[in-house]
């Protein structure tokens, strides 16, 4: 059962599970089928609003394994301006946990976010990588981050009180082909790729960057996300675990890489009033390396080349 299967990560996960030979994959999303990122006929595809308790029960009936990737979210431009919508996602995980308990689901995965981390630990672009314990004392991203942290606790207490086997990963900026690259919900890698491609196709060699360009992040390619998600669900790790690349780059460096892929240099302007999030965020992978003997390792340049090529093809059409 993949909740949010019509989304970017969910669609890739459904495809991966089918590639592995699973014959009993169910995919659920609130979006109309024509808006799904990937709709695979080999899966059982349902359109349901998982904020509703009855929809969650319909989705999970007969399920043994649940991946909850469903959320109303996007990049900083979306989550800073839609805090109430992001908070309402709490209904999804709450009702899914209730349904999972009712139907005695064997394993339940919750996709949390690096936005749960305390803001005062992310004020410097030269950030110290965030370890799992840095989520407390709590002061997460307003709206979206609070919902994620609350839902982590919900999973913990359903495990402790009701015996539901829950696993939680904190995703750090996932990107790749078939993702959102326009419309307001896109994240930085796709947004930068789109802007560079627009400049290349139009001949107007300029780009607007949100913030001063010095803010730093790490970005995880979708294949690493899929591998880590399934490994964490199959593990005995009961506490939330970072799932992200530890390759830290500034937004200016991200633009440098995409410009190099495109083969051009652009004149940069900086929109200091645009949403930019925290000044610095990176994943401390000490714990995942210790517990799984693995960490996301696909280089940003390699992932961006594939992402850029896919977005270029879409825009050229």
């Amino acid at each position: 059962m993949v909740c949010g299967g019509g989304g970017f990560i969910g669609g890739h996960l459904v495809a991966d599970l089918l590639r592995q030979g699973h014959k009993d994959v169910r995919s659920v999303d609130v979006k109309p089928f024509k808006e799904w990122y990937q709709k695979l006929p080999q899966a059982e595809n349902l359109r349901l609003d998982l904020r509703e308790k009855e929809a969650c029960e319909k989705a999970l009936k007969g399920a043994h394994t649940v991946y909850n990737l469903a959320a109303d979210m996007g990049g900083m431009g979306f989550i800073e301006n839609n805090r109430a919508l992001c908070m309402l996602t709490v209904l999804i995980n709450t009702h899914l946990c209730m349904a999972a308990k009712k139907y005695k689901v064997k394993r339940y995965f919750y996709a949390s976010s690096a936005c749960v981390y305390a803001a005062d630990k992310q004020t410097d672009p030269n950030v110290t990588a965030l370890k799992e314990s840095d989520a407390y004392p709590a002061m997460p991203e307003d709206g979206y981050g609070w919902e994620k942290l609350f839902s982590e606790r919900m999973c913990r207490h359903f495990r402790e009180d009701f015996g539901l086997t829950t696993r939680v990963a904190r995703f750090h900026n996932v990107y790749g082909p078939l993702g959102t690259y326009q419309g307001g919900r896109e994240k930085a890698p796709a947004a930068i790729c789109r802007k560079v491609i627009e400049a290349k196709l139009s001949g107007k060699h300029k780009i607007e960057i949100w913030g001063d360009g010095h803010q730093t992040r790490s970005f995880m390619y979708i294949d690493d996300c899929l591998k880590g998600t399934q490994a964490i669900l199959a593990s005995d790790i009961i506490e939330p675990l970072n799932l992200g690349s530890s390759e830290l780059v500034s937004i200016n460096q991200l633009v440098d890489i995409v410009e190099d892929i495109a083969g051009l240099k652009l004149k940069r302007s900086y929109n200091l009033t645009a949403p930019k999030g925290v000044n610095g965020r990176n994943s401390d992978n000490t714990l995942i390396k210790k517990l799984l003997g693995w960490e996301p390792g696909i280089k940003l340049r390699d992932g961006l080349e594939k992402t850029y090529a896919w977005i270029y093809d879409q825009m050229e059409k």
Side-chain angles (χ1 to χ4, degrees):
M1 175 69 241
V2 179
C3 304
F8 165 53
I9 300 174
H12 276 287
L13 178 58
V14 170
D16 191 56
L17 292 169
L18 292 169
R19 277 194 298 270
Q20 294 174 36
H22 291 283
K23 305 294 185 185
D24 57 347
V25 179
R26 181 182 296 159
S27 180
V28 174
D29 206 282
V30 70
K31 294 185 288 291
F33 287 137
K34 62 180 174 38
E35 295 179 13
W36 285 30
Y37 290 59
Q38 299 183 64
K39 182 173 177 287
L40 297 143
Q42 307 97 304
E44 177 189 0
N45 298 301
L46 302 177
R47 186 187 175 198
L48 296 169
D49 186 347
L50 295 175
R51 290 170 296 190
E52 300 173 357
K53 181 172 178 285
E54 296 76 12
C56 290
E57 292 189 352
K58 183 176 181 179
L60 264 58
K61 189 172 184 179
H64 53 73
T65 303
V66 175
Y67 291 92
N68 178 14
L69 308 175
D72 201 348
M73 57 84 67
M76 288 309 304
F78 179 81
I79 65 176
E80 284 197 4
N81 294 304
N82 295 277
R83 294 189 175 102
L85 281 178
C86 291
M87 288 295 288
L88 284 171
T89 297
V90 76
L91 295 171
I92 297 175
N93 189 63
T94 303
H95 290 144
L96 283 174
C97 282
M98 293 168 67
K101 172 180 174 285
K102 177 178 180 177
Y103 292 121
K104 296 179 170 57
V105 163
K106 292 181 180 178
R107 285 191 174 255
Y108 183 98
F109 175 88
Y110 177 66
S112 187
S113 166
C115 288
V116 302
Y117 286 114
D120 64 1
K121 297 182 184 295
Q122 305 173 77
T123 57
D124 188 340
N126 301 308
V127 66
T128 299
L130 295 159
K131 55 185 182 292
E132 284 78 1
S133 59
D134 288 332
Y136 296 95
M139 187 50 68
E141 184 80 40
D142 202 7
Y144 180 70
W146 276 110
E147 183 277 320
K148 288 295 185 185
L149 194 61
F150 177 88
S151 293
E152 285 188 9
R153 304 297 291 193
M154 182 70 75
C155 289
R156 171 179 173 172
H157 296 312
F158 264 73
R159 174 175 54 79
E160 293 173 336
D161 293 359
F162 303 128
L164 177 64
T165 299
T166 59
R167 300 291 182 261
V168 175
R170 292 172 178 161
F171 289 176
H172 287 247
N173 289 313
V174 186
Y175 74 100
L178 301 176
T180 301
Y181 62 91
Q182 60 185 356
R185 292 180 184 253
E186 66 275 19
K187 295 187 177 183
I192 297 301
C193 285
R194 185 200 75 238
K195 290 179 179 182
V196 171
I197 293 165
E198 285 173 344
K200 187 179 181 75
L201 294 176
S202 69
K204 299 174 182 177
H205 288 187
K206 57 184 180 180
I207 185 171
E208 181 187 86
I209 296 169
W210 286 8
D212 60 12
H214 297 301
Q215 64 269 35
T216 54
R217 296 290 187 277
S218 66
F219 301 99
M220 173 173 55
Y221 190 64
I222 183 64
D223 290 1
D224 274 339
C225 179
L226 299 178
K227 182 175 181 178
T229 293
Q230 293 171 75
I232 290 169
L233 180 60
S235 76
D236 295 325
I237 305 164
I238 61 175
E239 296 300 326
L241 196 61
N242 276 336
L243 183 54
S245 168
S246 58
E247 183 183 353
L248 185 70
V249 294
S250 69
I251 298 301
N252 277 328
Q253 289 171 325
L254 179 64
V255 176
D256 290 341
I257 296 170
V258 179
E259 283 181 338
D260 191 54
I261 292 169
L264 77 168
K265 293 294 291 183
L266 304 177
K267 181 179 180 181
R268 303 179 186 187
S269 61
Y270 295 89
N271 185 346
L272 302 181
T273 64
K276 72 178 187 70
V278 296
N279 287 325
R281 177 183 293 153
N282 194 16
S283 179
D284 184 323
N285 288 346
T286 303
L287 197 54
I288 193 172
K289 286 191 290 185
K290 176 183 176 182
L291 298 177
L292 288 182
W294 173 87
E295 67 172 320
I298 296 172
K299 295 298 183 184
L300 181 59
R301 168 73 187 226
D302 296 336
L304 280 173
E305 285 181 351
K306 296 176 182 178
T307 306
Y308 178 92
W310 180 81
I311 295 174
Y312 189 94
D313 287 345
Q314 305 311 303
M315 293 179 66
E316 197 176 33
K317 289 175 184 177

